[in-house]
Amino acid sequence: VKHGGKNSYEMFAHSMNIVSKRRLQIEAHLRHAIDNKELYLVYQPQISLHSGKIIGVEALLRWDSPLLGAVSPVEFIPVAEETGLITPIGEWVLFEACQQAQVWRDEALPPVRMAVNLSVRQFARQNLESVVQSTLLKTGLPVRYLELEITENMLMDDVEGSVDTLHRLKDLGVCLAIDDFGTGYSSLSYLKRFPIDRLKIDRSFITHVTTNTEDASVTQAIIAVAHSLGLSVTAEGVESADQLAFLNENKCEEVQGYYFSKPVSANDIKRLLIVNQGL
Ligand code: C2E
Ligand code: CA
Ligand code: CA
Ligand code: CA
């Protein structure tokens, strides 16, 4: 190490220090986020292209920390995964989402599915289906309204174990979706062994679907594979009328994205459901 001005190693060490400091701060504050009521859910509508109406919502986690400000789930979920904090947080999300879906049912709003994201650790746990079952019992939500989103890479990590876990969830009657489809490395032979209902095409393919022929081809291929396996397809990240038209022409069943709505509060969803225009 040279003396005087900072060399590249020192710069590197300095930036690593900032990264790990931030990580430690997140961990320290996240530890109390549930008890301090700093976590909440927002909901993004999923629209059926068949009816033009809202058919489901995806629950997305938000954290407003009094000390760190709003922290993105892209940043804090990995920390929660590494530290194990994801277990209580994931159970809180599942409960909160099911309870909200049941509140909308009690208010006699048009019925919608509630999609909940599962983390790596949640999916790997032995007692996942009993957690799901007891959450449904506690909230009173009928199982057919719950959809669980599992990423492609989570499934491919341990194919035999995944097939087993998915069957145990499917036996309860839960809807199952593969999230971020196309970004991972699943093979078709595995795909047909998973008892799933839906593929969600990752936003990265939809963004340029009307201008990039490769993205268009991949999107068409995913829809074709899904349909040949009897699965339905949701496209995420739909931001324009052109993208919507492409997906409609190619027989995609459902869409989700800023074109219709950003993720919004439960109250805003209630208003959207009362109007229930969707498109
Ligand atoms: P995801 O499951 O793929 O969720 C979709 C993300 O895309 C959300 O970001 C959503 O706000 C965003 N999005 C939706 N439509 C559009 C669009 O038209 N344009 C653009 N640019 N973005 C759009 P968000 O809410 O920041 O969540 C990011 C990721 O964090 C999620 O990706 C998911 O992997 C994770 N996450 C969020 N909530 C939870 C949770 O409760 N549990 C777990 N395990 N992960 C979660
Ligand atoms: Ca998702
Ligand atoms: Ca996704
Ligand atoms: Ca994604």
Side-chain angles (χ1 to χ4, degrees), residues 77-256:
I77 297 274
V79 178
E81 283 274 7
E82 283 166 40
T83 54
L85 286 169
I86 197 68
T87 301
I89 291 175
E91 288 181 12
W92 180 86
V93 169
L94 185 66
F95 182 84
E96 194 72 12
C98 290
Q99 192 176 50
Q100 183 58 63
Q102 183 57 20
V103 165
W104 288 328
R105 275 173 44 79
D106 288 339
E107 293 175 338
L109 292 163
V112 284
R113 282 186 328 251
M114 175 62 74
V116 176
N117 292 287
L118 289 186
S119 69
V120 178
R121 279 215 206 203
Q122 273 179 299
F123 188 65
R125 273 171 77 112
Q126 283 312 305
N127 68 344
L128 176 59
E129 83 276 10
S130 59
V131 170
V132 170
Q133 192 166 29
S134 73
T135 304
L136 291 167
L137 273 173
K138 273 185 265 179
T139 58
L141 183 70
V143 66
R144 65 179 178 284
Y145 292 107
L146 178 62
E147 180 160 281
L148 297 175
E149 297 192 3
I150 301 132
T151 66
E152 190 177 16
N153 285 336
M154 277 158 61
L155 294 173
M156 298 308 294
D157 226 35
D158 163 19
V159 172
E160 296 307 319
S162 296
V163 169
D164 196 62
T165 305
L166 292 177
H167 273 292
R168 284 185 282 125
L169 291 170
K170 198 71 237 174
D171 287 345
L172 294 178
V174 179
C175 303
L176 299 171
I178 303 191
D179 200 4
D180 299 348
F181 194 79
T183 58
Y185 49 95
S186 62
S187 82
L188 293 181
S189 59
Y190 290 137
L191 199 53
K192 73 169 190 209
R193 295 186 54 203
F194 298 137
I196 50 169
D197 303 282
R198 178 190 322 284
L199 299 183
K200 293 190 74 178
I201 305 179
D202 193 68
R203 169 158 58 92
S204 58
F205 299 106
I206 304 303
T207 306
H208 302 292
V209 78
T210 58
T211 50
N212 179 312
T213 52
E214 281 171 19
D215 288 345
S217 301
V218 171
T219 299
Q220 286 168 322
I222 293 174
I223 295 172
V225 164
H227 289 171
S228 74
L229 294 172
L231 309 176
S232 104
V233 183
T234 302
E236 23 177 64
V238 176
E239 294 184 354
S240 74
D242 286 351
Q243 292 166 339
L244 178 65
F246 177 92
L247 293 162
N248 207 7
E249 267 163 40
N250 286 282
K251 308 275 183 297
C252 178
E253 278 81 7
E254 295 177 22
V255 287
Q256 181 180 344

